[in-house]
Amino acid sequence: MSITPIYTAGATATGGRDGKASIHGSEVHFDLDPPREMGGGGKGSNPEQLFAAGYAACYIGAMKFATTQDTSLAKVPDDVSVDAAVGIGPRAEGGFGLSVNLKVSMPGVDKVEAQRIADAGHAICPYSNATRGNIEVTTEVV
């Protein structure tokens, strides 16, 4: 399977988990620091936090897009939010793996309808497609 990108983002990291990172084409530069649970000071950002932020934002975009493709779905409210929790830990097979829990909040939308929208978004979200079959991702409408 291949895609033809319509946009390509770039970032540069130096020094690994306890280094620095910058986003190409922006003024965003930040320090990286492992969380305390992994022996770091927890004062900078870490890759799991950045993945969580990207997944949450992309997932909201996918849900909004899904409602333009299926007009039977309710409109996603402006105050929709997704709380993405990305876990990291050792795998039984060796190495490390990730898990993701997405908590979707759609104020004013019936929970059954919000679940339909969340499911539709999950089916088309690029992050969901990238992780499907590779890591455990759970979605919960709250």
Side-chain angles (χ1 to χ4, degrees):
M1 174 181 68
S2 70
I3 65 165
T4 302
I6 57 175
Y7 170 75
T8 301
T12 300
T14 57
R17 285 184 167 271
D18 55 356
K20 297 189 177 299
S22 62
I23 308 297
H24 299 177
S26 79
E27 297 299 317
V28 178
H29 306 274
F30 48 91
D31 293 328
L32 298 169
D33 191 18
R36 288 182 178 86
E37 297 85 348
M38 294 178 68
K43 294 183 179 170
S45 297
N46 63 64
E48 293 71 36
Q49 291 170 324
L50 301 172
F51 187 77
Y55 202 154
C58 189
Y59 190 61
I60 290 171
M63 290 187 294
K64 288 180 176 182
F65 181 77
T67 64
T68 68
Q69 303 304 295
D70 181 349
T71 57
S72 75
L73 295 170
K75 182 181 180 294
V76 174
D78 291 337
D79 56 351
V80 61
S81 67
V82 171
D83 180 355
V86 175
I88 183 171
R91 297 173 0 134
E93 305 84 1
F96 289 85
L98 299 174
S99 64
V100 177
N101 179 262
L102 303 169
K103 289 185 181 176
V104 179
S105 173
M106 285 190 222
V109 178
D110 172 80
K111 191 169 183 174
V112 171
E113 182 64 7
Q115 186 65 57
R116 287 184 62 222
I117 296 167
D119 291 345
H122 194 49
I124 62 174
C125 176
Y127 278 70
S128 296
N129 287 332
T131 60
R132 190 171 289 115
N134 297 311
I135 66 174
E136 180 183 346
V137 177
T138 57
T139 305
E140 176 184 357
V141 173
V142 293

